[in-house]
Amino acid sequence: MKKEIQVKQLKTDVLIIGGGTAGCYAALTIREHSNASVLILEKANIKRSGCLAAGVNAINAYIVEGRTPEDYVDYAKKDADEIVREDLLLTMSQGLNRVTKRLEELGLVILKNENGQYVARGNRNIKINGENIKPILANAVKKLSNVTVMNHVNVTDYIVKDNEILGAFAMGIEEEIIYEIRAKKVICATGGAAGLYKPNNPGFSRHKMWYPPFNTGAGYAMGIRAGAEMTTFEMRFIALRCKDTIAPTGTIAQGVGAKQVNSKGEVYETKYGLTTSERVYGTVKENQEGRGPCYLRTEGISSSQDEELKKAYLNMAPSQTLKWVEGGKNPSEQNVEIEGTEPYIVGGHTASGYWVDTRRKTTIKGLFAAGDVAGGCPQKYVTGALVEGEIAAKAAIEEIENDKSNSAALSKEEEDLLIKLKKQEVENILNFEKPVFSIEELEEAMQKIMDAYAGGIGSNYQFNEKQLALADEKIKHIMELSNKLHANDMHELMFVYELKERLTVCKAVIAHLRARKETRWHSFAENLDYPKKSDKWLKYVNSKLIDGELTILYRDLVGRGENYEHKN
Amino acid sequence: MSIKINKEKCIGCRRCLSVCPGSLIKLDEDGKAYMKYPKDCWGCCSCIKECKECAILFYLGADIGGRGSHLTVETEGDIVHWNIEESNGTLHSIDVNSKDSNKY
């Protein structure tokens, strides 16, 4: 029997897509400053969704005593070798301590000294117990009036007319329902994209990755399809992690002062530089030149340090503690092997994402972006995502209060047609007969192409022009095949949409990697045809779908004291 | 990297189904939770923290060095007991006070 899906229509003042860090904080901010109704749509459950499901090890973006927000901007700018938006970094940095205080009020445990001041871990970090950071945020959101949270509902498309957002389409994961949501303003806080490249552990533990495998780049893909301008997708993020468990290394490196060493015991980190990309690059080079594997030198730390490390990992990445215990060897007895992950696209660490102004408005009217999905503002981490949620929320309610309601109107006929087409699209997938390939097979094919031709782990993160051209062509083929998939149920339907999102993001990543003809960041974007960096490339690589074609646009850097504004 | 659910202990409360960030856990025909997509587990341990019956066992896949030990969590007030049982039956317990910050 052919499946038919019912359609439900919802209305809200502000739609927040994704109830992670930025999305939850946006809801809290709206309720503090306005009576506007809020709807949060979350594909999982806001209690444990997004990158902080297991917890977080520290607050890594904080202005510690004696430092200024401008210092933080300088740090992020140096780490990204100039390709950042200083206006975005500054507005983010100025809010870091404010949101941290708020987190503490909500219940986050932060270590303090006898004078009641936060205890710093390094120059920009403070020590916390972040195991329950997500339940804390979720509880705060649940208490708000006129804020509706719908868990297990996956947003797949924006409704946009004349470059103005009017709402979105979403689908239940458990229930056979399509939602058409109309909203005055939309805040996109979906997070970044994992699962584009072949992962570290491609077999049974394929999802044991750094970034949540459930963050599939939905926010990027919806924006790209709707014609939003995107920036810096060529600055991929590769994390340096504990081998196998892909657990964080910063806790060991900063916590017990462990250096990166090669198999000969030589400290190599100083040889290649200390930026995030250089640390990854150094590890790749040491392996390539026969001095692998690489480690964090923990041998010789004290037994109390062993115990504290095990506890710290239970609060954010329990698999690492399990590995130490079941392996029967503490870090003091055995150095911790490290490796680079597959590349991700994630605006909280590098600068990929929506091209926004300082109010976090995207180039689509009424659409705001916050957190990992927003570009130009790397090293934002958890607190930076909170600040962006706050900024976007304030801007959205200000527009509502100034009565800048939607100027583009959708007639009843237009709306009915959109719903009819969406219903057909979904039912076609649920009723598709005799598919040649499974969703999983196409996902694997996509990851293999990206790995081999667009600088994955298997090619030491390097690529050349010919390989990128091949990657583009091959991804195009997978995109065609992705239109002939069958889903048994709503959960599998989500898998189909997730695959398509990833493919859309892959296409953009390839286009951006092809466009920046230099190597500014080793490993993150290492083009073997252009192995050097050049001042000619002190500019942003942006992209936008124009007449169905992803088109590259170049923009001048926004430096200190400058403010970028969208021009209509 | 994944979980196993002890069917005898599961009471079908659906808490793990609801909290899993990948919605990977479903109910079987007996109303008990089961891991429908073992290869899709991220290893975040949200489900084992949520399960009051300690019915969910977390383990590392052999491909990432797992040796058959299981991890479960019991929470008593502020104290989180993390219990690891090795395949030979050896038990380890690490207590973490949720009011204490990480030292590192």
Side-chain angles (χ1 to χ4, degrees), chain A residues 4-20:
Chain A
E4 263 202 64
I5 303 295
Q6 60 161 316
V7 179
K8 273 193 184 170
Q9 293 177 285
L10 305 170
K11 255 192 175 164
T12 182
D13 289 332
V14 184
L15 168 64
I16 299 175
I17 307 177

Side-chain angles (χ1 to χ4, degrees), chain B residues 25-51:
Chain B
I25 309 171
K26 309 284 179 192
L27 281 194
D28 67 13
E29 60 275 18
D30 302 325
K32 307 276 183 156
Y34 78 103
M35 182 52 156
K36 187 168 179 189
Y37 303 100
K39 286 167 77 176
D40 287 354
C41 176
W42 186 30
C44 72
C45 291
S46 298
C47 57
I48 66 169
K49 292 173 191 168
E50 204 67 23
C51 182

Side-chain angles (χ1 to χ4, degrees), chain A residues 131 205-207 315 326 491, chain B residues 26 40 49 63 69 102:
Chain A
E131 188 283 317
S205 300
R206 63 186 183 184
H207 272 184
N315 284 335
E326 76 172 334
H491 197 127
Chain B
K26 309 284 179 192
D40 287 354
K49 292 173 191 168
D63 61 336
S69 300
N102 294 345

